[in-house]
Amino acid sequence: SALYVVRRFARRHRLGMGLAAAGLLAIFGLAAAALWQARAKGLEASRAQVALRQSEATRDFVSSMFLSADPYQGKGLQTTAGDLLKAARQRVDSKLADEPEVAAELLSQIGSVYVSLLDNDATRDVFHKALQYNARSAQPSLGLAAAINARLAYIDFLERHAPEDRRKLDEAVRQLREMGKSAEADLGRALIMQTNLLFSENQREQALAASEESVQILRPLAATHSFDYLWSVVGHADLLASMNRNEDAVAAADEGLASPLARQPEYAAVHLDMLGVRARGLAGMRNYVEAEPVFAQLIESNAKVFAAENSQVRYWRYRRTQVLEWMGRLDEAHEQIEKLLKVPATSAEHPMASVAHHVESLIIDNQRRADIPATSIQAARELACKEADAVRFCIKITLVEAELALRAQHNAAARALLDVPGKELEMQQNVDLAQRTALLRAWLARGEHRFDEAQRLIDTVRTAPAVSPEILAEADIELGYVELARGQGKAAGEALRRGRAFIAQPLVMLTPQVNEVDAALARADAMP
């Protein structure tokens, strides 16, 4: 820039600039300054001409590309996005061979579209071609090269999980960071990719640091890089929700939702993603009363874009059903899950969705204390337990079945169900399921008057370092039942009240479980 040239001149000629104020040297100083200014203006004009030429070339290129969609000159209404992308790639070589800067930039944008289409082969081809054009430029863009290399390393890592691909992405991030402000937008995008890789490797704190940095970098650029900024906020909020930092997730989602950009029609999909994270965060905070209308809004908004049985709509219907269950609206939850089960899943729906729906149906009916037909349990078991990826759901079905047996005082059947052969590894990896199993075993021991064993199992759960508040409340309730069976009314009342306070707090309607606890409390309070 002209300012840069003048500053460099002043630094290199400090003495001359100082003497220029006196006598004849002033003339030489002014002449030199004039020459430098003329050179600077010439450079600036030259750059402006290059920018103008690139702009005109880009405009002409895009116009010629979309001309193929003209009903009278191209394929007309039969033209697809794939056709346009293919035509664009072909026209780069035929129309922009002498404009490597424009060709490289356009191919980079085309490659980004292929990324969104999940066409990795086409993405690689286009990005490699963009790198070739960039290398042919009189002044190759280091920023463009680093940004493309980051993208390539990212998609390669997702396919191969090779350490060298991870190192290539890290190197691209380092290069972009060293380029300073000129590469900030590309750095922000690369950090989003790095966040995903770190999270996939279970490096959650490092992923969170990269995610926070991407938001901080892109926030000041929101006006010119709106989508990148909004997407970084969505990704950061989603990461926080995945780490159970629900309050922070809601705050991050609210930042994005408060932006006027998120309300623009072209960012409607990102807006819905933000609402989704907000709903998940509120549910994670057990703020079900506020979360349920957000889930309902997500269902309505997605249904306007997609069909009612679209996989995305069905997902949010499932999540709302869970919230209805958690807030005690069990009959509504039962009605909603039955509607999901009556319509077969589409091919676009996740394979585990149907399994999740069947398991949720069993959980809801168990909470309702409804009679569950053996055929329903068998159907859910056949669906879940044959899938290697559904071991967690298979165990959940087993635990529901064991609870039903315990409630019916079929202790032998419950004992057989709670001995989960071949699944101990999964139980160890899922602390929540392991602790729920321990509490059901305590229930079995209580029913057989083995109170010391029941107490030991409960204490193991209560003192575990990773016990959740939900499990702790269930442990308090089971402890209360054990103390009640021992005839210890005061101790039973204290434990039952602790557990009841937690499970009843988010409810808008009392559940059969709470009614059972209240009945036990009445018996405990009546003891001398």
Side-chain angles (χ1 to χ4, degrees):
S1 68
L3 181 60
Y4 170 80
V5 174
V6 171
R7 283 177 176 170
R8 294 289 292 177
F9 174 77
R11 289 175 185 169
R12 292 177 180 175
H13 302 280
R14 287 184 180 133
L15 179 61
M17 293 291 285
L19 295 176
L24 190 60
L25 290 177
I27 299 173
F28 291 104
L30 291 171
L35 287 172
W36 275 97
Q37 288 175 0
R39 180 175 180 274
K41 288 180 179 179
L43 287 172
E44 188 174 353
S46 175
R47 289 170 182 158
Q49 286 284 2
V50 171
L52 178 61
R53 174 65 195 119
Q54 290 181 355
S55 175
E56 291 173 345
T58 303
R59 181 199 62 201
D60 294 342
F61 176 85
V62 173
S63 296
S64 65
M65 185 181 73
F66 279 97
L67 187 64
S68 63
D70 189 312
Y72 298 102
Q73 299 191 47
K75 294 173 65 178
L77 298 178
Q78 302 303 315
T79 301
T80 66
D83 294 329
L84 290 176
L85 290 171
K86 184 178 179 180
R89 294 168 62 182
Q90 294 172 345
R91 286 171 185 268
V92 166
D93 288 329
S94 62
K95 302 293 184 181
L96 298 174
D98 296 330
E99 301 284 350
E101 296 87 356
V102 180
E105 183 62 40
L106 280 171
L107 286 170
S108 174
Q109 298 301 320
I110 293 170
S112 297
V113 177
Y114 277 118
V115 168
S116 68
L117 295 176
L118 303 179
D119 189 339
N120 289 346
D121 291 337
T123 299
R124 289 188 183 93
D125 290 344
V126 173
F127 277 153
H128 283 304
K129 193 73 172 179
L131 290 174
Q132 293 172 11
Y133 272 108
N134 187 56
R136 283 175 45 194
S137 171
Q139 292 183 327
S141 171
L142 299 179
L144 181 69
I148 290 176
N149 285 328
R151 289 272 198 180
L152 287 169
Y154 181 63
I155 61 175
D156 286 344
F157 183 88
L158 292 180
E159 283 191 357
R160 305 184 305 186
H161 294 280
E164 60 265 28
D165 296 325
R166 165 67 188 281
R167 287 192 293 269
K168 288 177 182 177
L169 177 58
D170 291 342
E171 174 62 18
V173 169
R174 184 193 65 78
Q175 292 174 351
L176 290 168
R177 185 176 279 114
E178 288 181 351
M179 293 175 195
K181 287 190 173 297
S182 64
E184 281 183 334
D186 288 323
L187 175 60
R189 286 189 285 267
L191 285 167
I192 295 173
M193 295 179 246
Q194 193 177 55
T195 296
N196 294 334
L197 262 60
L198 289 166
F199 186 77
S200 71
E201 295 176 334
N202 206 30
Q203 299 185 51
R204 297 196 167 194
E205 292 304 321
Q206 296 93 322
L208 187 61
S211 181
E212 287 175 341
E213 186 181 1
S214 71
V215 175
Q216 291 170 2
I217 289 172
L218 292 168
R219 186 183 288 119
L221 306 178
T224 53
H225 295 82
S226 304
F227 178 81
D228 295 322
Y229 161 65
L230 293 174
W231 192 242
S232 72
V233 172
V234 170
H236 185 56
D238 187 69
L239 176 61
L240 289 165
S242 300
M243 296 174 68
N244 253 353
R245 292 179 51 173
N246 296 299
E247 292 86 350
D248 294 334
V250 171
D254 284 345
E255 174 191 335
L257 290 168
S259 171
L261 297 169
R263 293 189 288 274
Q264 295 181 8
E266 60 265 38
Y267 300 127
V270 183
H271 183 267
L272 288 176
D273 286 337
M274 288 178 182
L275 280 178
V277 176
R278 189 172 199 278
R280 288 172 51 212
L282 289 169
M285 295 163 60
R286 301 176 81 233
N287 188 352
Y288 306 133
V289 172
E290 189 175 349
E292 189 273 329
V294 183
F295 281 112
Q297 181 182 352
L298 283 163
I299 294 167
E300 181 182 2
S301 298
N302 278 281
K304 289 179 180 178
V305 180
F306 309 108
E309 297 300 333
N310 174 268
S311 59
Q312 185 80 351
V313 179
R314 286 171 63 86
Y315 170 76
W316 292 120
R317 287 168 60 193
Y318 165 69
R319 293 304 302 267
R320 178 173 176 265
T321 298
Q322 288 184 308
V323 169
L324 290 172
E325 174 215 335
W326 297 334
M327 65 196 302
R329 292 163 59 179
L330 297 176
D331 290 340
E332 291 179 70
H334 171 76
E335 180 183 353
Q336 293 303 317
I337 200 67
E338 288 301 307
K339 287 181 178 179
L340 282 170
L341 288 172
K342 284 179 181 177
V343 179
T346 65
S347 60
E349 198 163 16
H350 194 282
M352 290 298 104
S354 182
V355 178
H357 297 164
H358 278 82
V359 173
E360 181 64 17
S361 177
L362 293 180
I363 292 172
I364 291 170
D365 281 345
N366 184 38
Q367 289 281 18
R368 295 168 66 225
R369 302 299 188 253
D371 291 330
I372 303 177
T375 53
S376 297
I377 296 175
Q378 185 62 26
R381 181 179 294 282
E382 288 178 357
L383 195 62
C385 299
K386 69 179 181 181
E387 298 289 342
D389 294 335
V391 176
R392 179 170 56 91
F393 287 117
C394 183
I395 293 176
K396 282 187 175 184
I397 295 169
T398 301
L399 297 185
V400 169
E401 197 171 0
E403 185 175 337
L404 293 173
L406 287 167
R407 192 172 294 115
Q409 298 183 348
H410 297 158
N411 292 346
R415 185 179 298 106
L417 288 163
L418 291 173
D419 182 16
V420 191
K423 295 176 182 175
E424 290 302 319
L425 178 61
E426 173 71 19
M427 298 295 290
Q428 292 169 9
Q429 292 177 342
N430 192 309
V431 175
D432 182 84
L433 287 179
Q435 292 171 344
R436 290 184 185 279
T437 303
L439 291 178
L440 289 175
R441 286 174 175 154
W443 183 348
L444 174 63
R446 167 170 59 88
E448 296 176 342
H449 302 285
R450 293 180 283 113
F451 299 131
D452 290 343
E453 181 181 347
Q455 179 80 55
R456 178 182 58 78
L457 287 164
I458 294 167
D459 289 344
T460 300
V461 172
R462 285 172 51 82
T463 58
V467 63
S468 68
E470 291 79 8
I471 294 292
L472 189 58
E474 296 290 343
D476 280 332
I477 291 171
E478 181 55 37
L479 176 60
Y481 287 147
V482 170
E483 296 292 359
L484 188 64
R486 282 173 163 170
Q488 302 296 318
K490 182 179 179 181
E494 290 175 353
L496 289 169
R497 284 187 174 86
R498 285 197 306 269
R500 185 196 189 282
F502 184 86
I503 65 171
Q505 182 269 326
L507 298 178
V508 296
M509 298 175 65
L510 294 183
T511 62
Q513 181 188 22
V514 174
N515 292 333
E516 291 164 0
V517 173
D518 287 342
L521 273 169
R523 295 198 302 273
D525 291 342
M527 287 182 176

